[in-house]
Amino acid sequence: MKKKVLTTTIATGLMAAGVLTTQNPASAKADTVPTGDNATSTNEVATQESDAKTIAQNNVNTAQTNLDKSKADTQNASDSLQQAKVNETTTQKAVDEQTGKVSDAQNNVDKAQADVTTAQNGLTAAQENAKNATETNIQAAKDNVATQEQNVATAQEQAKQANDGVAEQTNKVDDAQKAVNDAQKNTSAAQADVTTAQKTVDDAKAAMDPANVQATVDAANKAEAQVNQDKQNVATAQNNLDNAKAADATRQTNIDNTQKAVNTAQANVDFSTKQAQEMKDQFNKYQGIKDAAQKEVDGLNDKLSNVNTITISDVEAYKKAFNDWYTGSKRGENWTEEDKNFLNDFMNSNTYKGNVADKNITVDINHLTADQIKELSLFSADLLNQVRNQLGLPKVIVTEGSLKLAKDVTDNYVSDNWDKFDHDVDGISRAAAENGLLSGGNFYEDAIFSSDFSEASTMDDLKSILYTGIVTMIGGSGDEMLHAAGLLGVDFGDDISTGKEQYFSAGTSMFPIKEDQMWITKMGHFFNVSKDYIRDSAKFSTTEVPGTSTEDLVTQLNTAKAKLASATDALNKAKDADTQAQQILAKNKVELTTAQDNLTKAQNVPVQTEIAQKALTDVQNKLAADTKINEDAQAKKEAALGDEAAKQKVLDQANANLATAQKALIDAQTKQKAAENNLSAEKAKLASLQQVANEKTQDVKAAQVALDDAKNKLATLENAPLLVKAAEDKLVTAQKALDPVENALVSEKAKLSALKQDLADAQADVTTAQKNYDEKLAIQTKAQTDLDNAKKVLQAIYDREALEAQIAAQEKAREEAEKKAAEEKAQAEKNGYHVDGNKVVDENGNQVSNWTVKNGQIIDNKGKVVSGLTINKAGAVVNKTGQQINSKNVVDNLQANKRTQAPVVQSKVAGKTYVSTVVAPEKAKTNALPQTGEKESKTTLVGAVLVGLGSLVGLFGLGRKKEY
């Protein structure tokens, strides 16, 4: 019954959490466990719990496994998503780059189209001009040229006259300007004379004043001393001038020498600059040659990288397999597993390369054009010759006759409504007869069949069929080598080394198979014509059809590589020469800079002669001026020391001289005004003449333009046929230039279209990968949730088991404690005083009348605590040493505690024996029991004991099991 209660409680809690009922239904059975305590019920519960734990652990393990797998799936989905995104980014980049190429190609087309339009307009204009190029119009144009030439001559003459007038008037203006300048100088001189004359008058007047005599004498002496000093200064300046001239001569010599060095250095720089440019031009020339050679090599490499090839890894092994098939009494009986494995590897290792351009060319497989048959035949012949070359066999040749045979046979397949997996022998024979060949059977055709549900075909589809046909037939498809023998030109049963040269071509056709069901079959035809099968050479042309084979490309590539090597060598040499020339130029430039610096330094040395000459002139002029001053001063001195008559005479002469100078000044001013007026008039005339000359000059320019236009018109009319031819050539050139860029644009657009489809596919892949990742992540999230829930269920079971174990341990401990307490209580009841409720009884069960129990303490009949006695956990009344007291030692114990106790009295009331003590009055101290001095309530000792026991029982009752 206890187990049922516990289990039900835990199960209910788990179901409330929404876990147990979904993860472990068996655990719910705990609610129906019988309530009895029998072993069967307990074992059933235990079994159910064990089953629940096992199921829960299995659920955890399963959930963990699911989560691990889900995480792996999610990681794989994430990796796929990331790779899809990388692919999308890469494809987007390719689309962006290709879009740029399409844009460039479109620009090239637009430019080429504009050139065509311009050329067309030019041709239209040239043709219109040719219509106008009549004799009358040409003569009129010639007359117009003559007229315009006369107009130019007239305008030039008028302009010359006008410019001559300007030149003449310019001279007059110059003369008038000189006259003004001279008049200004004369006026200035006359003004100076007046000033001097005035000063002379002033000085003469001053000389007549006796107070100025000594000053005049002093001035004369000073003026004489200054003249002497000036003479010394002139001598010194003359010496300085001589020295300066010598220094300047040295300076000029240095300048001349450094200028020569600069000239030499400049010549070297000019020469090395020219040489460096020549080396640079040569380097650029060889760079262009090398680039062109590299471009040719790259182009051929690109072509070869896109060429389909067939490779035999071991020629001897192939020959062995070929010969083994023919040996023995039965074909193929000596074919070893080694042979078969080799041929199988051969077929698996050679695969067709798709071609984007060919994928964009749709074809009518049953009605191929002549060019398409030619292209397919050359393609197949190249593949076959690759194999033949490796085996040391003669090549096949595509001829005009073999192409016609291919077309006639495939046309017969169509006209015969062929619908079988077999050769149309009748159609082949008819075509052979029509082309002058041996007829009557299938001596020419090998064929490959390719089933497909689409009637749409591209050139790439057909090449793929033909490529696969050659590989499978050469590789012994169908456990036989008859097709290989036919394609290799080996007669049946002959050694493979005995192949023959043959005329070869290829074609295709398409027809429905009408056996158990309808489906579309594409057929590739190969035609080998041996020379000895030609019956009428007039009907079968052996003229070879030109084409470029892989071998040709390899030869061209080798030649281009040789040219590239030669161009590279020449470029390296040109580069070395260029480097050397640049180094020489740099060296010469440094030398020029040095020379120029030296010249600058020489030129920066100051010129001394001019300064020295000016200094000499200045002191000479000062000497002259001071000499005149001295002469005047001496005259004034002489006059000042002379008589009055002489002084008056000097003054009179000075006034006369002043009047003369003043008159000369007025005359000079009058002449200056007249000269200035004349200059203004002459300048006005010059401006008028200059305007006329400018107009005449413009007339000459206009006449020349008209003459040039007339000459151009005449030349256009006279050269009309040549201009038309040139315009036609220009148009043809422009149209030729347009075709390749238009083709390039189509090609680039096709590439872009393919890349956009790739991008759409990549984006779809990203979408799919994202969806897959989201789904896997959702599954992982659910798996994680399932694992968490399963762990919660398992943990709940473990928690329940732990709780059950804990409760079981507590139950056992409680039972043992109860048992021990019962034993101790029984022993206490047997050995002496003990508590029974709130009473104290002795070992015989008799109540001690004077004591009661209150709050776990023994109280006497006065309500005081009995000192020295306590109640242990078994309910026994013990002394301080823990010894239980009884009827025999109760007094001793009380006396031991120094208390006076009345005699114990036993009495019987209503058939029961009571043990009591008689307490003496308080005043009889000697016989009184010792008191603790504690004030107690009126509760009896028995009540106190009962209360104490009640508390003890309550303590032991904690955790006691309940029964239901």
Side-chain angles (χ1 to χ4, degrees):
M1 183 173 65
K2 305 185 192 74
K3 179 67 70 175
K4 183 235 180 218
V5 173
L6 175 64
T7 305
T8 302
T9 302
I10 295 176
T12 303
L14 290 176
M15 286 190 290
V19 177
L20 183 63
T21 55
T22 59
Q23 295 295 327
N24 191 1
S27 299
K29 295 179 181 179
D31 287 336
T32 62
V33 175
T35 58
D37 291 334
N38 57 75
T40 301
S41 298
T42 301
N43 291 336
E44 288 179 355
V45 171
T47 300
Q48 291 170 355
E49 291 177 350
S50 176
D51 291 344
K53 181 178 178 181
T54 300
I55 293 173
Q57 182 63 60
N58 291 339
N59 288 343
V60 169
N61 296 340
T62 300
Q64 183 65 58
T65 300
N66 292 341
L67 178 59
D68 293 340
K69 180 179 182 302
S70 178
K71 284 183 177 179
D73 292 343
T74 302
Q75 184 60 49
N76 291 335
S78 176
D79 294 343
S80 298
L81 175 59
Q82 295 306 314
Q83 184 59 51
K85 288 183 177 179
V86 169
N87 293 341
E88 179 187 22
T89 301
T90 302
T91 309
Q92 181 66 62
K93 181 179 179 182
V95 168
D96 295 340
E97 292 176 352
Q98 188 61 31
T99 300
K101 292 181 181 179
V102 169
S103 178
D104 293 341
Q106 184 64 59
N107 291 337
N108 293 337
V109 170
D110 294 342
K111 182 178 181 301
Q113 185 61 60
D115 292 342
V116 170
T117 301
T118 301
Q120 184 63 59
N121 293 338
L123 176 59
T124 301
Q127 292 171 338
E128 185 64 27
N129 177 68
K131 293 179 182 179
N132 295 328
T134 62
E135 290 295 333
T136 301
N137 289 340
I138 292 175
Q139 186 58 50
K142 289 180 178 179
D143 295 342
N144 186 41
V145 168
T147 300
Q148 295 304 327
E149 287 176 342
Q150 182 60 45
N151 291 341
V152 169
T154 301
Q156 288 175 338
E157 180 60 28
Q158 291 177 351
K160 181 178 181 301
Q161 293 176 359
N163 286 323
D164 290 344
V166 169
E168 182 180 353
Q169 185 61 31
T170 299
N171 291 332
K172 291 181 180 181
V173 169
D174 292 341
D175 293 340
Q177 182 66 56
K178 185 175 181 300
V180 168
N181 294 340
D182 292 342
Q184 288 175 339
K185 290 179 180 178
N186 293 335
T187 300
S188 296
Q191 181 64 58
D193 291 342
V194 169
T195 300
T196 301
Q198 183 63 55
K199 187 174 184 303
T200 301
V201 170
D202 294 340
D203 291 342
K205 289 180 179 179
M208 295 181 71
D209 186 352
N212 295 326
V213 173
Q214 185 58 47
T216 302
V217 173
D218 293 339
N221 294 335
K222 181 178 179 182
E224 185 176 8
Q226 183 62 51
V227 168
N228 293 332
Q229 181 62 48
D230 289 345
K231 289 178 180 179
Q232 293 179 3
N233 293 340
V234 168
T236 301
Q238 183 61 56
N239 184 60
N240 291 340
L241 176 59
D242 294 340
N243 293 334
K245 287 182 179 180
D248 286 349
T250 300
R251 172 182 177 276
Q252 189 59 50
T253 299
N254 292 336
I255 289 175
D256 293 342
N257 292 336
T258 53
Q259 183 63 59
K260 289 179 181 179
V262 168
N263 294 341
T264 300
Q266 184 64 59
N268 291 337
V269 168
D270 293 342
F271 176 78
S272 56
T273 297
K274 180 181 178 182
Q275 198 170 46
Q277 186 58 50
E278 290 175 353
M279 294 302 100
K280 177 63 70 178
D281 293 341
Q282 182 172 278
F283 173 74
N284 292 335
K285 170 187 173 184
Y286 283 112
Q287 182 68 60
I289 294 173
K290 189 261 185 183
D291 291 343
Q294 184 66 59
K295 184 177 181 181
E296 183 179 4
V297 169
D298 293 342
L300 289 169
N301 278 326
D302 288 342
K303 287 183 179 179
L304 283 170
S305 67
N306 291 321
V307 166
N308 283 278
T309 58
I310 300 177
T311 303
I312 300 176
S313 61
D314 189 337
V315 170
E316 294 305 319
Y318 180 82
K319 289 181 177 180
K320 176 182 179 300
F322 184 93
N323 291 327
D324 285 351
W325 190 83
Y326 284 103
T327 59
S329 60
K330 182 180 180 181
R331 287 173 178 171
E333 68 178 354
N334 290 335
W335 218 353
T336 67
E337 287 301 317
E338 180 183 6
D339 293 334
K340 294 178 181 179
N341 291 336
F342 174 78
L343 293 174
N344 187 56
D345 291 341
F346 165 78
M347 288 187 287
N348 289 334
S349 62
N350 288 284
T351 57
Y352 175 73
K353 294 180 183 177
N355 186 292
V356 175
D358 286 340
K359 288 180 180 178
N360 293 319
I361 301 175
T362 57
V363 295
D364 182 349
I365 188 170
N366 285 337
H367 302 88
L368 296 179
T369 66
D371 286 340
Q372 289 170 343
I373 291 177
K374 174 183 174 182
E375 180 178 352
L376 294 174
S377 296
L378 290 172
F379 169 78
S380 302
D382 179 53
L383 294 172
L384 187 53
N385 281 333
Q386 292 177 36
V387 176
R388 286 190 170 216
N389 183 55
Q390 293 173 74
L391 295 174
L393 300 175
K395 296 181 181 180
V396 296
I397 302 172
V398 177
T399 67
E400 297 290 348
S402 65
L403 292 180
K404 184 175 183 301
L405 174 64
K407 186 176 188 310
D408 291 345
V409 171
T410 53
D411 286 347
N412 288 345
Y413 268 86
V414 174
S415 63
D416 291 347
N417 295 317
W418 197 253
D419 60 359
K420 300 179 179 63
F421 274 125
D422 198 356
H423 298 281
D424 183 5
V425 177
D426 182 63
I428 297 170
S429 184
R430 294 200 314 272
E434 291 172 0
N435 285 275
L437 301 175
L438 174 66
S439 61
N442 177 21
F443 307 117
Y444 310 98
E445 183 197 53
D446 290 284
I448 179 71
F449 299 87
S450 175
S451 296
D452 198 334
F453 291 104
S454 172
E455 295 186 16
S457 296
T458 66
M459 184 61 73
D460 187 66
D461 294 333
L462 303 191
K463 288 183 178 180
S464 175
I465 294 172
L466 295 175
Y467 179 94
T468 303
I470 292 177
V471 169
T472 54
M473 290 178 183
I474 295 297
S477 173
D479 292 338
E480 55 98 347
M481 298 296 283
L482 293 175
H483 286 290
L487 289 176
L488 297 176
V490 180
D491 287 337
F492 298 149
D494 287 351
D495 186 272
I496 191 173
S497 301
T498 62
K500 294 178 292 184
E501 181 183 89
Q502 294 173 315
Y503 303 124
F504 178 82
S505 58
T508 61
S509 62
M510 180 173 65
F511 51 87
I513 293 298
K514 301 174 182 177
E515 295 181 355
D516 56 337
Q517 60 181 347
M518 174 80 72
W519 71 85
I520 300 301
T521 295
K522 295 176 182 177
M523 184 175 181
H525 308 268
F526 304 99
F527 306 97
N528 283 285
V529 179
S530 298
K531 294 180 180 180
D532 52 359
Y533 282 6
I534 300 175
R535 294 293 180 263
D536 187 349
S537 59
K539 293 182 179 180
F540 186 86
S541 173
T542 57
T543 301
E544 184 174 355
V545 175
T548 302
S549 66
T550 301
E551 185 178 359
D552 294 334
L553 290 176
V554 171
T555 300
Q556 292 174 15
L557 177 61
N558 291 333
T559 302
K561 285 182 177 179
K563 288 169 57 180
L564 176 60
S566 176
T568 302
D569 181 62
L571 176 62
N572 291 335
K573 291 178 180 178
K575 183 178 181 181
D576 292 340
D578 177 51
T579 300
Q580 186 177 6
Q582 295 298 331
Q583 291 173 345
I584 294 173
L585 175 59
K587 173 178 174 294
N588 288 341
K589 284 184 176 180
V590 172
E591 292 178 353
L592 174 59
T593 300
T594 301
Q596 288 172 333
D597 291 342
N598 292 335
L599 175 60
T600 300
K601 291 177 182 178
Q603 291 173 334
N604 287 338
V605 174
V607 177
Q608 301 180 35
T609 298
E610 184 177 355
I611 297 174
Q613 181 64 59
K614 184 177 184 302
L616 176 60
T617 301
D618 289 344
V619 294
Q620 287 175 337
N621 291 336
K622 191 172 187 304
L623 174 60
D626 288 344
T627 297
K628 184 177 181 181
I629 291 172
N630 182 48
E631 290 174 353
D632 292 340
Q634 297 302 324
K636 290 177 183 178
K637 175 182 176 184
E638 184 179 353
L641 296 176
D643 56 15
E644 293 299 322
K647 293 179 181 179
Q648 185 61 51
K649 183 179 178 181
V650 170
L651 176 59
D652 292 341
Q653 184 60 47
N655 284 327
N657 291 341
L658 175 60
T660 300
Q662 287 174 335
K663 182 177 182 302
L665 175 60
I666 293 171
D667 291 341
Q669 290 174 336
T670 301
K671 290 180 180 179
Q672 178 182 347
K673 182 64 176 176
E676 290 175 345
N677 291 337
N678 181 58
L679 176 61
S680 297
E682 295 298 339
K683 283 185 176 180
K685 291 180 182 180
L686 176 60
S688 177
L689 292 173
Q690 186 66 58
Q691 181 177 359
V692 173
N694 291 339
E695 292 174 353
K696 295 302 180 182
T697 300
Q698 293 300 321
D699 291 344
V700 172
K701 292 180 179 179
Q704 186 63 53
V705 170
L707 175 59
D708 293 340
D709 183 57
K711 287 181 177 180
N712 289 335
K713 290 182 179 178
L714 175 60
T716 299
L717 292 173
E718 288 179 334
N719 298 306
L722 295 177
L723 293 176
V724 170
K725 181 63 171 63
E728 289 174 343
D729 293 342
K730 188 174 183 180
L731 178 58
V732 170
T733 300
Q735 288 173 333
K736 286 183 178 179
L738 178 60
D739 292 339
V741 294
E742 284 182 334
N743 293 336
L745 177 60
V746 171
S747 176
E748 297 299 342
K749 283 184 176 180
K751 293 178 182 178
L752 178 59
S753 178
L755 287 173
K756 283 184 176 180
Q757 182 57 51
D758 292 343
L759 177 59
D761 294 342
Q763 290 171 336
D765 290 344
V766 170
T767 301
T768 301
Q770 183 68 56
K771 181 180 179 182
N772 182 51
Y773 172 73
D774 293 341
E775 292 174 350
K776 298 301 182 184
L777 184 59
I779 293 173
Q780 178 184 334
T781 302
K782 182 180 182 302
Q784 183 66 58
T785 301
D786 291 345
L787 176 60
D788 293 341
N789 290 337
K791 285 182 176 180
K792 288 179 182 178
V793 172
L794 181 60
Q795 187 60 46
I797 293 175
Y798 279 121
D799 291 346
R800 183 184 66 194
E801 289 179 347
L803 180 59
E804 287 177 346
Q806 179 181 0
I807 292 175
Q810 290 176 350
E811 182 72 13
K812 182 177 180 181
R814 185 182 64 79
E815 290 175 351
E816 291 177 352
E818 288 180 348
K819 180 179 179 182
K820 183 177 180 182
E823 291 175 350
E824 289 176 349
K825 182 179 178 182
Q827 189 64 38
E829 291 175 352
K830 176 181 179 182
N831 292 339
Y833 284 18
H834 57 277
V835 175
D836 184 5
N838 62 348
K839 299 180 295 183
V840 178
V841 297
D842 62 12
E843 62 273 19
N844 298 316
N846 298 319
Q847 179 179 355
V848 179
S849 61
N850 294 332
W851 290 348
T852 59
V853 177
K854 180 180 181 181
N855 296 329
Q857 293 177 315
I858 300 174
I859 307 300
D860 62 18
N861 56 2
K862 288 188 176 183
K864 295 182 178 180
V865 176
V866 178
S867 178
L869 298 179
T870 58
I871 304 170
N872 66 15
K873 62 181 182 179
V877 179
V878 298
N879 60 17
K880 291 181 177 180
T881 63
Q883 180 185 10
Q884 185 176 6
I885 64 173
N886 52 40
S887 299
K888 295 179 180 180
N889 62 18
V890 63
V891 175
D892 295 336
N893 277 282
L894 291 175
Q895 288 178 345
N897 285 288
K898 297 181 180 180
R899 295 187 60 178
T900 301
Q901 176 92 15
V904 176
V905 178
Q906 292 186 356
S907 60
K908 292 185 178 181
V909 178
K912 290 186 178 183
T913 302
Y914 294 89
V915 179
S916 62
T917 59
V918 178
V919 180
E922 291 184 7
K923 61 181 181 179
K925 301 290 186 179
T926 57
N927 296 322
L929 290 172
Q931 304 296 316
T932 62
E934 296 178 0
K935 185 71 174 179
E936 295 294 340
S937 66
K938 298 298 183 178
T939 307
T940 64
L941 178 59
V942 175
V945 173
L946 289 174
V947 172
L949 289 175
S951 299
L952 182 60
V953 172
L955 176 62
F956 286 138
L958 290 178
R960 179 182 293 273
K961 60 185 178 179
K962 295 181 179 181
E963 302 293 342
Y964 295 89

